[in-house]
């Protein structure tokens, strides 16, 4: 039901297109809408001002044993495959009170029980990749109806936690992650 509601909201075009401002008054990285890697197109954004959306629920994977304090989050959705068949790519940006809370959000996400075992036999769950000249956590996960591999990238930039959930193509997923202006 939640995905149906999101689709309705996206189709009606009531999704506000705004940037987030961090606790210290600095602007959070913008969610990219244009100049996307080939094959990706912007679908819409949700944030705290989106009607009928509870951002705490949307960001639940970042809450856990480590306190992340007050947060301001936005999630952008991208189409990269056949709509209704392939899963969406997503970029989540969470502004926290300070860098310690952003690191806590990253750690909570990484420590989810679903990530305890590898996605497939012989495939490591975690690795390291380079995005914008910095080392980031690469997460490999099952995705889609055919249970293919999905590449995601997780890191913090100061008080901001960033998650890019790409597709099954590592190069394209890294290119999407590289669209985040740091």
């Amino acid at each position: 039901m939640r995905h149906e509601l999101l689709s309705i909201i996206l189709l009606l075009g009531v999704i506000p297109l705004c940037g987030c401002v961090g606790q210290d008054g600095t602007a959070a990285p913008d969610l990219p809408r244009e100049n996307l890697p080939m094959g990706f197109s912007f679908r819409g954004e949700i944030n705290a001002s989106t009607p009928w959306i509870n951002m705490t629920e949307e960001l639940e994977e970042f809450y856990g044993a480590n306190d992340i304090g007050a947060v301001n989050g936005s999630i952008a959705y991208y189409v990269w495959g056949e709509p209704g068949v392939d899963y969406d790519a997503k970029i989540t940006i969470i502004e926290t009170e300070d860098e310690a809370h952003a690191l806590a959000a990253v750690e909570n996400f990484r420590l989810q029980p679903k990530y305890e075992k590898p996605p497939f036999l012989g495939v490591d769950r975690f690795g390291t990749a380079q995005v914008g000249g910095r080392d980031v956590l690469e997460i490999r996960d099952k995705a889609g109806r055919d249970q293919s591999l999905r590449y995601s990238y997780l890191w913090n930039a100061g008080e901001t936690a960033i998650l890019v959930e790409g597709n099954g193509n590592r190069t394209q997923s890294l290119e999407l992650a590289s669209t985040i202006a740091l």
Side-chain angles (χ1 to χ4, degrees):
M1 180 66 182
R2 189 169 98 197
H3 294 292
E4 291 171 354
L5 180 60
L6 177 60
S7 295
I8 291 168
I9 291 170
L10 292 171
L11 290 173
L12 294 175
V14 298
I15 294 179
L17 301 176
C18 65
C20 298
V21 176
Q23 301 294 330
D24 66 356
T26 61
D30 288 329
L31 290 164
R33 294 175 181 82
E34 300 173 341
N35 301 319
L36 298 168
M38 185 180 307
F40 288 95
S41 60
F42 179 71
R43 184 170 178 189
E45 176 184 340
I46 62 173
N47 56 42
S49 63
T50 305
W52 307 293
I53 297 295
N54 180 332
M55 283 309 290
T56 300
E57 288 178 8
E58 296 296 324
L59 302 174
E60 69 184 342
E61 295 172 316
F62 293 92
Y63 291 93
N66 302 304
D67 177 32
I68 66 171
V71 300
N72 185 11
S74 296
I75 303 172
Y77 293 86
Y78 303 88
V79 175
W80 62 270
E82 185 178 343
V85 175
D86 296 307
Y87 53 88
D88 289 339
K90 296 184 339 185
I91 297 178
T92 303
I93 295 180
I94 301 174
E95 281 296 307
T96 65
E97 298 170 11
D98 54 35
E99 185 170 13
H101 285 101
L103 288 167
V106 166
E107 188 67 5
N108 286 342
F109 189 92
R110 188 185 70 77
L111 292 175
Q112 293 177 78
K114 71 179 184 178
Y115 292 146
E116 289 176 1
K117 296 180 181 176
F120 298 107
L121 187 61
V123 176
D124 290 333
R125 169 69 68 193
F126 300 111
T128 304
Q130 284 276 313
V131 173
R134 70 176 68 214
D135 287 336
V136 302
L137 180 67
E138 180 177 83
I139 304 169
R140 301 169 196 113
D141 201 9
K142 292 179 187 177
R145 293 182 180 146
D146 64 354
Q147 294 295 297
S148 60
L149 199 59
R150 177 184 196 160
Y151 293 92
S152 297
Y153 300 95
L154 178 66
W155 72 97
N156 82 292
E159 65 191 26
T160 305
I162 302 164
L163 173 66
V164 176
E165 297 172 80
N167 60 21
N169 181 307
R170 185 175 191 266
T171 301
Q172 286 181 333
S173 298
L174 278 167
E175 287 174 4
L176 182 62
S178 295
T179 63
I180 303 293
L182 301 175

